[in-house]
Amino acid sequence: MNANNQLPAVGTTVYAIAKNNSTFKLEVVEGTMESISENGFKVSHRRTGFITDVYLYPMHAWRQECFQTKNEADVGLALPVSYTHLRAHETSLHL
């Protein structure tokens, strides 16, 4: 977050903690801030040359799952999260 406690501008590079679908491990991925609304923000993550995933995050995810710098994301990846937080990311495929 910048000095004004705001989300970075649209088009800014951001870093998110995401699950690698092949290894099932969490990792830091680079993305681009696509849009910001009162409900949340969209970040696109380039997976391969032509495939881009776009995720909609709720506002509270900033500084929990999405960060301004890779160093912040690396630290965030190492921090423990609650059981409730983990369950919030599960889908019917996980159950």
Side-chain angles (χ1 to χ4, degrees):
M1 224 177 256
N2 65 27
N4 295 327
N5 209 24
Q6 304 271 328
L7 291 169
V10 171
T12 302
T13 298
V14 295
Y15 298 86
I17 297 171
K19 183 181 77 169
N20 182 314
N21 289 329
S22 58
T23 64
F24 299 104
K25 292 183 179 182
L26 294 177
E27 58 187 31
V28 174
V29 295
E30 185 176 304
T32 303
M33 184 70 75
E34 293 292 329
S35 66
I36 302 169
S37 72
E38 61 186 41
N39 297 325
F41 55 96
K42 286 184 183 178
V43 176
S44 64
H45 304 285
R46 177 162 275 190
R47 282 196 295 140
T48 60
F50 298 105
I51 299 173
T52 301
D53 293 331
V54 177
Y55 295 97
L56 176 61
Y57 293 95
M59 283 300 185
H60 70 268
W62 185 249
R63 308 274 305 176
Q64 291 180 11
E65 296 175 37
C66 293
F67 302 88
Q68 182 87 35
T69 67
K70 185 170 184 328
N71 286 343
E72 289 175 338
D74 287 337
V75 169
L77 184 61
L79 294 176
V81 296
S82 70
Y83 179 74
T84 304
H85 183 99
L86 291 174
R87 292 297 304 240
H89 287 279
E90 290 182 340
T91 66
S92 60
L93 295 175
H94 297 104
L95 302 176

